[in-house]
């Protein structure tokens, strides 16, 4: 949990210190790469760390990830300009990728199926706590100390996590191959390069340059060529980084697609809800953050109780109930009155967190239970990788939708010269004298309409997740019982077809 906290709190604690960082180092035009670079590094390294943990064990990968994350934190604190800080954030992300995937895999290794909801719920509370504590701690450090302390604070937490892991984490004894397989470094490099170009195109397209410009088309074209090259390399490799069975097995493929769609829909609350709360409801940043944070309160509670549902009706049906509820909640958002009260979206986010907790955890627990130790790291990494890629695609797709709707609604504005970009409009609304009363109301209604369309798109992503489960997921997940999970038994792992 301490190792997970390093990665969980990192995204929220940095965001509150951006004004101080930019004021000290400059680089206003590229500061978004403080987040994009970190996310890119985490995402593209997930498959590599999953394969490494299956090859060399979870503990060495987790220890290496913590050390790399702490080294990146020290370098970030010592950064002398924005370019150096972005580069060191990428180093942090290289360690963060090991933390996210490996911790989830270790939880499945150490706890039998009946106990996994409890430990996964505890891991979810780490993210919930970080979502609330991160902005507060970051704001205090940036306001009363120095922004460099938001990176240095990782050192004591990481040191304790590292000591506990080295001293107390004992992996279950599992059968290992007589000869250690070789790592597919060529495949790892190809996956890293393909993911880097694709995510760069998605993150920067429509922001740093237009979608149909030479940089966007060049990056997308190059990523397509590299994807074809990666496929050739992986098909020839003896131990590929992304093995073909990840997509040939219906259970894993359906969960990958379903969680990829969940990553897509998560962009609506995490990216656009704070904008809605500030621009339409007129809330301050802290109050807007609270509207979003209520989702992280109900999520772990729902996840912790999900085993009472899937033990009765199965993993697939439980996930379908959760995503069906999420679909209805997302469709309810555009029906909220204008301008409405803050508790309206807060209530919907509370319900959405409960629905997604009922959806995500049964799928992760279920898919981890269908593979043995030697495949669990790769399987977990593929699930998390698809969720991260879905989130990157969602940010690009829904950003284009929101800006398109906003620009169309502002064509008949009562004043001329209004910005057509959602971020620019949001910044302008923070200035009380920027527009007349009529123009302000028109702009707020335009933002409201843009966010409504984003939520309709998120509902479409929820429908895609349901479609993946209905058409691809087997009715019964083929559960494997490890020797360490079977009380008083020994021998090779056995497979059982459970209703779950």
């Amino acid at each position: 949990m301490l190792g997970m906290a390093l990665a969980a709190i990192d995204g929220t604690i940095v965001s509150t210190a951006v004004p101080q960082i930019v004021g000290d180092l400059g680089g206003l035009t590229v500061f978004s790469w403080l987040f994009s670079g970190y996310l890119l590094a985490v995402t593209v390294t997930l498959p590599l760390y999953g394969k490494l943990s299956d090859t060399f064990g979870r503990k060495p990968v987790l220890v290496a990830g913590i050390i790399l994350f702490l080294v990146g934190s020290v370098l970030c604190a010592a950064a002398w300009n924005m370019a150096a800080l972005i580069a060191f954030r990428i180093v942090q992300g290289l360690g963060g990728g090991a933390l996210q995937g490996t911790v989830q895999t270790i939880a499945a290794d150490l706890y039998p199926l009946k106990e996994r909801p409890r430990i996964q719920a505890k891991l979810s509370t780490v993210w919930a706590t970080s979502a609330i504590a991160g902005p507060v701690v970051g704001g205090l450090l940036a306001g009363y100390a120095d922004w460099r302390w938001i990176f240095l604070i990782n050192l004591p937490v990481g040191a304790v996590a590292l000591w506990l892991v080295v001293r107390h984490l004992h992996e279950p004894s599992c059968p290992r191959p007589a000869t250690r397989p070789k790592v597919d470094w060529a495949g790892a490099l190809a996956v890293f390069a393909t993911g880097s170009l694709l995510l760069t195109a998605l993150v920067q397209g429509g922001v740093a340059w237009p979608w149909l410009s030479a940089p966007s088309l060049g990056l997308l074209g190059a990523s397509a060529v590299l994807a074809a090259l990666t496929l050739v390399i992986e098909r020839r490799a003896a131990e590929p980084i992304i093995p073909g069975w990840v997509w040939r097995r219906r259970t894993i493929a359906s969960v990958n697609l379903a969680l990829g769609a969940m990553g897509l829909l998560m962009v609506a609350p995490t990216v656009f809800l704070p904008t809605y709360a500030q621009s339409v409801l007129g809330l301050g940043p802290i109050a807007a953050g609270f509207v979003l944070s209520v989702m992280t309160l109900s999520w772990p509670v729902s996840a912790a109780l999900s085993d009472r549902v899937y033990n009765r009706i199965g993993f697939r049906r439980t996930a379908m109930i959760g995503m069906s509820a999420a679909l209805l909640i997302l469709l309810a958002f555009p029906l909220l009155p204008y301008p409405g009260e803050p508790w309206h979206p807060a209530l919907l986010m509370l319900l959405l967190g409960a629905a997604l907790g009922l959806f995500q955890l049964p799928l992760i627990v279920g898919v981890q239970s269908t593979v043995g130790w030697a495949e669990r790291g790769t399987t977990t990494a593929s699930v998390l990788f698809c969720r991260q890629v879905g989130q990157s695609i969602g940010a690009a797709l829904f950003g284009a939708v929101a800006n398109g709707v906003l620009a169309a609604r502002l064509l008949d504005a009562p004043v001329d010269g209004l910005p057509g970009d959602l971020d620019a409009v949001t910044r302008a609304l923070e200035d009380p004298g920027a527009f007349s009363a009529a123009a302000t109301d028109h702009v707020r209604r335009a933002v409201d309409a843009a966010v409504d369309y984003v939520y309709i798109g998120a509902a479409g992503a929820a429908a895609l997740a349901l479609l993946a489960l209905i058409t691809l997921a087997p009715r019964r997940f083929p559960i494997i019982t490890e020797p360490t999970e079977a009380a008083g038994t020994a021998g090779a792992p056995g497979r059982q077809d459970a209703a779950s």
Side-chain angles (χ1 to χ4, degrees):
M1 291 175 70
L2 281 176
M4 181 69 82
L6 288 172
I9 201 171
D10 189 78
T12 56
I13 196 173
V14 175
S15 60
T16 55
V18 166
Q20 289 78 11
I21 295 174
V22 172
D24 189 11
L25 301 180
L28 178 63
T29 58
V30 295
F31 83 89
S32 63
W33 272 99
L34 290 177
F35 310 97
S36 302
Y38 178 85
L39 176 64
L40 187 150
V42 169
T43 303
V44 299
T45 54
L46 278 169
L48 173 61
Y49 286 128
K51 186 62 181 180
L52 289 177
S53 71
D54 284 342
T55 304
F56 300 106
R58 328 296 189 207
K59 187 173 181 177
V61 174
L62 182 58
V63 168
I66 294 175
I67 292 174
L68 190 56
F69 188 91
L70 295 181
V71 169
S73 298
V74 172
L75 292 174
C76 286
W80 53 92
N81 58 33
M82 185 61 75
L85 183 57
I86 291 171
F88 298 148
R89 282 282 288 167
I90 293 175
V91 174
Q92 261 193 323
L94 296 177
L99 295 174
Q100 289 197 27
T102 310
V103 168
Q104 296 278 5
T105 306
I106 289 174
D109 288 341
L110 296 182
Y111 293 87
L113 178 58
K114 291 183 179 180
E115 296 184 27
R116 284 175 195 164
R118 178 172 59 87
I119 187 62
Q120 289 286 358
K122 289 184 177 180
L123 292 176
S124 297
T125 63
V126 173
W127 291 94
T129 304
S130 300
I132 299 173
V136 175
V137 175
L140 291 175
L141 291 175
Y144 297 99
D146 188 271
W147 63 264
R148 299 179 190 273
W149 280 100
I150 66 176
F151 299 107
L152 294 176
I153 199 174
N154 291 329
L155 299 184
V157 178
V160 175
L162 189 61
W163 178 77
L164 289 172
V165 168
V166 171
R167 185 178 178 89
H168 295 290
L169 176 60
H170 304 289
E171 297 190 68
S173 57
C174 294
R176 304 289 181 89
T179 57
R180 180 161 292 176
K182 295 182 179 179
V183 178
D184 177 25
W185 293 113
L189 181 61
V191 170
F192 187 89
T194 304
S196 298
L197 291 182
L198 176 61
L199 291 178
T200 300
L202 293 175
V203 169
Q204 295 297 97
V207 179
W209 47 70
W211 279 110
L212 296 180
S213 64
S216 281
L217 296 178
L219 286 171
L220 291 173
S223 62
V225 172
L226 281 177
L229 178 62
T230 301
L231 183 62
V232 173
I233 293 174
E234 293 295 86
R235 293 184 68 177
R236 295 180 178 179
E239 294 288 339
I241 294 296
I242 304 180
W245 54 260
V246 168
W247 293 104
R248 287 194 297 268
R249 298 181 189 177
R250 288 177 57 195
T251 306
I252 302 175
S254 62
V255 172
N256 282 344
L257 293 174
L259 286 181
M262 192 199 80
L264 196 70
L265 73 86
M266 282 298 295
V267 172
T270 57
V271 176
F272 290 93
L273 183 63
T275 298
Y276 172 87
Q278 294 183 66
S279 299
V280 178
L281 301 181
L283 302 179
I286 296 177
F290 176 77
V291 172
L292 174 60
S293 67
V294 294
M295 182 175 68
T296 65
L297 300 178
S298 58
W299 191 314
V301 175
S302 173
L305 299 176
S306 65
D307 64 320
R308 301 185 181 184
V309 183
Y310 69 67
N311 282 332
R312 290 177 176 269
I313 65 174
F315 292 121
R316 176 175 175 265
R317 290 180 180 176
T318 303
M320 288 173 61
I321 291 173
M323 188 50 72
S324 297
L327 172 60
L328 296 176
I329 294 165
L330 292 167
L331 288 175
F333 188 91
L335 302 178
L336 293 179
Y338 173 86
E341 299 293 334
W343 67 267
H344 293 157
L347 176 60
L348 289 183
M349 291 307 101
L350 189 70
L351 297 174
L352 183 63
L356 294 179
L358 201 61
F359 168 79
Q360 178 179 262
L361 188 134
L363 291 184
I364 291 180
V365 171
V367 78
Q368 287 178 331
S369 303
T370 64
V371 295
W373 187 96
E375 297 177 340
R376 190 171 291 141
T378 299
T379 300
T380 304
S382 73
V383 169
L384 299 179
F385 176 76
C386 289
R387 188 182 65 185
Q388 294 281 81
V389 171
Q391 198 162 349
S392 299
I393 294 174
L397 176 63
F398 293 146
V401 169
N403 287 327
V405 172
L406 187 70
R409 293 301 178 97
L410 293 180
L411 284 178
D412 57 347
V415 295
D416 296 326
L418 294 177
D421 177 77
L422 189 62
D423 291 335
V425 166
T426 303
R427 289 193 296 268
L429 286 173
E430 294 176 356
D431 182 7
F435 310 120
S436 64
T440 298
D441 182 70
H442 186 87
V443 171
R444 291 189 187 279
R445 289 182 181 274
V447 173
D448 179 62
V451 177
D452 284 348
Y453 274 92
V454 168
Y455 270 82
I456 293 173
L464 290 177
L466 278 174
L467 184 64
L469 293 178
I470 293 171
T471 58
L472 291 178
R475 292 185 178 182
R476 297 171 179 266
F477 279 26
I479 305 301
I480 289 179
T481 303
E482 300 276 8
T484 54
E485 294 180 15
T489 63
R495 181 182 292 271
Q496 64 181 37
D497 289 330
S500 55

